[in-house]
Amino acid sequence: MQRRPWIEPVLFVTAFVGVHALLWWLAVTVPNQPIGDVTITYRRWIETGQQAHFWVGIDEDWVYPILAIVPMAVAALGGVSSIATGWLLLMVVLDAAACALLWRHHTAVGPVRLRAVWWWLLFLLALGPIALGRIDTVATALALAGVAFVASRPAVASVLLTAAAWTKVWPAALVGVLVLLRRGHRGAVLGGALVTTALIVLVDVLYGGAAHLFSFVGEQGTRALQIEAPLATPFLWAAAAHVPGAAVYYDHEILTFEVSGAGTHAAAAVSTPLMALAVVAAVLLALLAVRRGAARAEAAPLLALVLVAALIATNKVGSPQYVGWFAVPIVWGLVAGPGSARRFLPVAVVALPMAFLTQLVYPGYYDQVLTVQPWILVVLTVRNVLEVALLVWGFVALVRLGRAGQASRSGASGGSSRSSLERGRMGA
């Protein structure tokens, strides 16, 4: 049978266009404003900068790292009145670029050749219009582009991941993974991160933003529990049960819905220490696994998954677009070799319904979440349980990877000893 290598790329391009056309249509038509951040908040920031020459992140504290202003400004090049069109077009271009870089990466799992970009396309479809409607889309596309270069050009991967972190903080965890586990290229990784950071800082300082450069670090500190966060789940059920004091309210300063009630302040306060504990434990387990003989190429995406899951599952903020972060460690795991791909296949499968449940919550039936309708709280609870389950699975997988590495090393040592003994006997 004659091979037709052009068929799969054509099918993928067709699917990519179809999925993104659907997401674009949903973003501008469905209720609950899935691109409301773009058309309201981002637009206001750019308008203020253009008209009053007063820029967030430069002239005042800002919730995002300074590089986030760049895609917002680019989206408004055709005028702030058309920022929604500019934004969606930019997101499609970024997704296409990430797919093009990842296309050549495939892993043979048994008789099947697995391309992670096909999974990512399904994941975007499951996640819905929010996959295009937030600044997180930019960070995710940059981070996925970085994953495409992890094995071949770690310095380039570091540059892309660092740029992603200066857009939305969470990819900084992935830079840390490379520093810890990319043995032999640590200098290149650190160099790429430092040069990129230095350039961003230099430009910001030249524009007069030095005083507000790191303002994003403290902007989240005083937040209460956002309603979609896993830690907020029991308090939402308390509000549904009409427990006195338990309620959903709108924070006009942060511009999001949060939950009040007995215990919410304690839960919000424990969030950061719990996150730090999970991150430290994950790093120690990954280093221990490598020390016991586990392959660094397999440990890296596992550590990345646990760190991302920890940043989501223990966060007091539970914005729906956060679920999109999972795409990066999952794609990384799927392209890191046959063993890693087999390990990540169940995670990739679980992530799809998790993303779809997120779409049901927002923008699907967000109005019913706000009125704490029990059926949608069940959906949200299952979604949150899946997030926590991925965190737990990641920890278990790191432990098993370390044990397998130790067993492999012990077997190799035992085999070497037996071979030496046999050679000694044969020589005698």
Side-chain angles (χ1 to χ4, degrees):
M1 184 176 179
Q2 186 178 5
R3 292 187 62 190
R4 296 177 179 175
W6 52 269
I7 291 181
E8 189 183 7
V10 169
L11 288 174
F12 183 81
V13 170
T14 303
F16 180 92
V17 171
V19 167
H20 281 77
L22 177 59
L23 294 179
W24 187 314
W25 178 76
L26 290 172
V28 297
T29 58
V30 299
N32 297 314
Q33 297 182 309
I35 56 168
D37 277 21
V38 176
T39 57
I40 300 172
T41 309
Y42 300 177
R43 174 175 175 167
R44 183 178 72 247
W45 287 334
I46 298 302
E47 269 184 332
T48 302
Q50 291 179 345
Q51 297 174 7
H53 304 289
F54 188 87
W55 292 92
V56 289
I58 294 176
D59 300 301
E60 69 174 346
D61 289 352
W62 198 29
V63 70
Y64 296 130
I66 190 59
L67 201 59
I69 200 66
V70 174
M72 298 176 191
V74 170
L77 286 177
V80 289
S81 60
S82 61
I83 192 172
T85 300
W87 181 267
L88 290 170
L89 180 60
L90 179 61
M91 298 307 103
V92 173
V93 169
L94 288 173
D95 280 0
C99 282
L101 290 171
L102 285 165
W103 178 258
R104 62 189 176 88
H105 292 273
H106 63 269
T107 304
V109 182
V112 178
R113 187 175 68 166
L114 179 69
R115 287 195 190 273
V117 286
W118 279 108
W119 173 85
W120 186 39
L121 206 56
L122 284 174
F123 182 75
L124 291 175
L125 183 62
L127 187 56
I130 198 65
L132 300 180
R134 297 291 188 273
I135 190 65
D136 302 71
T137 308
V138 179
T140 298
L142 287 171
L144 284 169
V147 166
F149 291 102
V150 164
S152 59
R153 297 181 180 178
V156 175
S158 179
V159 167
L160 289 166
L161 290 173
T162 303
W166 276 102
T167 304
K168 193 72 188 282
V169 180
W170 68 270
L174 308 181
V175 179
V177 171
L178 287 185
V179 171
L180 287 170
L181 297 179
R182 197 66 174 89
R183 188 176 183 179
H185 297 87
R186 197 163 290 157
V189 172
L190 283 172
L194 291 175
V195 169
T196 305
T197 296
L199 288 173
I200 293 170
V201 170
L202 177 62
V203 172
D204 183 76
V205 169
L206 290 175
Y207 273 90
H212 307 285
L213 182 60
F214 296 102
S215 58
F216 63 90
V217 175
E219 283 292 294
Q220 304 284 352
T222 58
R223 294 186 68 157
L225 284 179
Q226 188 175 334
I227 58 173
E228 299 104 301
L231 288 172
T233 305
F235 304 105
L236 280 180
W237 281 106
H242 305 291
V243 173
V248 171
Y249 70 96
Y250 187 71
D251 188 318
H252 290 276
E253 182 178 351
I254 302 296
L255 306 179
T256 191
F257 287 94
E258 298 176 340
V259 62
S260 64
T264 54
H265 292 298
V270 80
S271 169
T272 300
L274 186 61
M275 185 184 297
L277 180 62
V279 167
V280 171
V283 169
L284 291 177
L285 283 174
L287 292 176
L288 181 61
V290 169
R291 187 174 181 179
R292 287 179 168 179
R296 291 173 181 267
E298 294 191 17
L302 265 182
L303 176 58
L305 175 69
V306 177
L307 294 182
V308 168
L311 293 176
I312 295 173
T314 64
N315 207 320
K316 57 186 173 183
V317 182
S319 300
Q321 65 270 19
Y322 286 12
V323 172
W325 303 357
F326 278 111
V328 180
I330 291 175
V331 167
W332 191 349
L334 291 175
V335 301
S340 178
R342 282 191 294 270
R343 185 178 297 110
F344 268 83
L345 274 176
V347 181
V349 171
V350 169
L352 295 176
M354 181 178 68
F356 181 67
L357 292 175
T358 302
Q359 183 177 178
L360 290 180
V361 170
Y362 186 87
Y365 298 95
Y366 198 62
D367 53 337
Q368 298 195 39
V369 176
L370 300 180
T371 56
V372 289
Q373 300 301 310
W375 81 269
I376 196 65
L377 292 191
V378 170
V379 172
L380 178 57
T381 301
V382 173
R383 195 285 306 269
N384 289 344
V385 167
L386 290 176
E387 290 180 350
V388 175
L390 288 185
L391 175 61
V392 174
W393 180 91
F395 274 118
V396 173
L398 279 174
V399 172
R400 288 179 174 174
L401 186 67
R403 289 176 178 172
Q406 188 175 34
S408 177
R409 175 179 288 182
S410 298
S413 299
S416 176
S417 299
R418 285 191 297 270
S419 296
S420 298
L421 182 58
E422 289 170 2
R423 285 195 299 269
R425 286 174 177 171
M426 289 172 68

